[in-house]
Amino acid sequence: MVQALDIAVVQIGELTEDVDHNLDRLVDAVEAATEGDVPDLVVLPELITAPYFCTSHDTDRTGWTQTIPGAATARFATISRKRGCAIAFGTYERTTDGTFHNSVVIVDGSGEIVEWRTPHGGLMPAYRKLSLPASKVSGIDIDEKYHFAPGPAPATADLLGTRFGCVICYDRTFPEYWAVARALGAEVMLAVVSSLGSREDLFLAELQTRALESQTWVIAANRAGPETLNGVTVDYFGLSCVIAPNGEIVALAPAHRSGETLRFTIDLDRVTEARRALPLRRDRRADVISLLDDLTSGVLQPLPVDRRSGRDDDALPTTVTPIGTRG
């Protein structure tokens, strides 16, 4: 039984509008990361087959999509077969029915596409991002809801003698996605990211917390360096990392620097040790999780906050719009 996995995290960015050139750069980076002592798995950042383009609605970028299988999977599969290692990468996916997703694909050491399984047994050729941001980050407008459809559910993939879960960028901020992956048996979580601006401030702390909560290994690959697209230059902050199941950062790439590769061997026994020492799953309250579901969906409504006590009655409204109906 495999108890240790050698991981390479390729922190790369500074991509251009020439998708073929981008693929050439990515292939070169993976070739370099797997030369000599070959890792078991190479992990690349989110949407890494193109520049991050979700800062504008003005230009049609659907020409940058990848089918699965397609050009990108074919290029990476060639390396996988030659080196005998698996490769995980983020891409702009177009499905056979014309739906667009922000996705992560894994090709295994024989060049085959690894299937992801949902909690109800459905199979997908990629993990598809669940929560799509539409917000402003450090003055940069981001709208992934315009460009992508959300994925159907958390999913896991069996590979290299263990089970992987995944989060893509904004997904990482929703602890329930991690909890479902853990409940499905994940021991390693891929955090595949293109993150920028003020999200740098708590990036590592957030991932450390999620690792501790889920008691999984976290392999995080972030885009790094400046990219100019749609007249806007964005500097992605890097800080790709490997975090142990107890929240300890065991490997860390530099901030804002493209062209860096992390190597670290993860010990899967540490998952068992962490879970035995702090049995969080045993003590998780399913009834509380059900309450969260009811409150989020609007089945259960909280009472309005009474703003009047000890205050001027005219100073504040006496009711608050219930959760789930706020504009």
Side-chain angles (χ1 to χ4, degrees):
M1 181 178 177
V2 175
Q3 295 300 324
L5 297 176
D6 186 7
I7 306 295
V9 181
V10 176
Q11 177 171 289
I12 194 168
E14 301 176 357
L15 302 177
T16 72
E17 297 186 50
D18 186 339
V19 174
D20 290 336
H21 174 68
N22 293 336
L23 274 175
D24 289 341
R25 281 191 61 215
L26 296 174
V27 166
D28 289 345
V30 174
E31 290 271 16
T34 57
E35 190 171 5
D37 186 14
V38 179
D40 296 302
L41 174 66
V42 179
V43 185
L44 293 155
E46 177 190 21
L47 292 172
I48 204 59
T49 50
Y52 183 81
F53 56 87
C54 301
T55 55
S56 173
H57 299 170
D58 297 337
T59 305
D60 182 2
R61 302 296 186 186
T62 57
W64 290 352
T65 56
Q66 297 283 334
T67 58
I68 304 171
T73 57
R75 295 290 300 276
F76 288 123
T78 298
I79 307 174
S80 290
R81 284 191 293 267
K82 181 168 70 173
R83 301 293 204 206
C85 69
I87 302 171
F89 66 97
T91 193
Y92 181 14
E93 179 194 3
R94 182 201 294 263
T95 67
T96 54
D97 67 2
T99 303
F100 303 113
H101 291 287
N102 182 341
S103 301
V104 168
V105 183
I106 301 176
V107 292
D108 66 19
S110 63
E112 298 297 316
I113 295 167
V114 177
E115 291 185 320
W116 293 82
R117 184 178 297 274
T118 68
H120 297 292
L123 296 177
M124 304 183 294
Y127 171 85
R128 292 161 177 159
K129 190 171 184 176
L130 298 176
S131 287
L132 303 173
S135 59
K136 190 181 288 288
V137 179
S138 299
I140 304 296
D141 287 312
I142 293 172
D143 189 359
E144 293 193 11
K145 295 184 189 299
Y146 178 82
H147 294 280
F148 310 119
T156 57
D158 289 353
L159 179 72
L160 299 168
T162 188
R163 182 162 293 169
F164 289 81
C166 189
V167 290
I168 300 178
C169 207
Y170 187 46
D171 284 347
R172 71 184 185 272
T173 303
F174 297 87
E176 59 269 31
Y177 301 162
W178 300 74
V180 170
R182 157 73 194 271
L184 290 171
E187 297 180 310
V188 183
M189 291 292 291
L190 303 179
V192 178
V193 181
S194 287
S195 206
L196 60 110
S198 59
R199 295 285 276 163
E200 180 176 358
D201 297 343
L202 294 174
F203 179 68
L204 295 175
E206 184 174 46
L207 290 177
Q208 287 179 273
T209 301
R210 298 290 172 260
L212 177 64
E213 289 171 344
S214 61
Q215 299 174 309
T216 59
W217 282 99
V218 176
I219 314 299
N222 191 16
R223 192 180 296 243
E227 288 181 359
T228 301
L229 189 68
N230 306 320
V232 176
T233 298
V234 177
D235 191 6
Y236 298 90
F237 59 74
L239 296 176
S240 300
C241 56
V242 179
I243 302 176
N246 64 353
E248 175 191 4
I249 298 171
V250 295
L252 179 64
H256 298 271
R257 190 186 303 170
S258 181
E260 299 287 331
T261 299
L262 286 181
R263 287 290 294 268
F264 191 82
T265 299
I266 65 172
D267 181 357
L268 296 175
D269 283 339
R270 291 192 63 176
V271 174
T272 302
E273 292 166 4
R275 294 175 180 182
R276 183 178 297 125
L278 187 63
L280 296 179
R281 185 175 182 180
R282 180 197 66 189
D283 299 329
R284 179 166 282 120
R285 291 278 300 271
D287 57 331
V288 175
I289 295 172
S290 294
L291 280 174
L292 177 61
D293 181 37
D294 288 344
L295 286 162
T296 303
S297 65
V299 170
L300 183 65
Q301 294 284 340
L303 292 174
V305 176
D306 184 353
R307 300 291 191 185
R308 295 172 297 176
S309 180
R311 300 171 184 263
D312 182 348
D313 287 348
D314 295 327
L316 290 168
T318 58
T319 60
V320 174
T321 304
I323 292 171
T325 62
R326 295 176 182 170

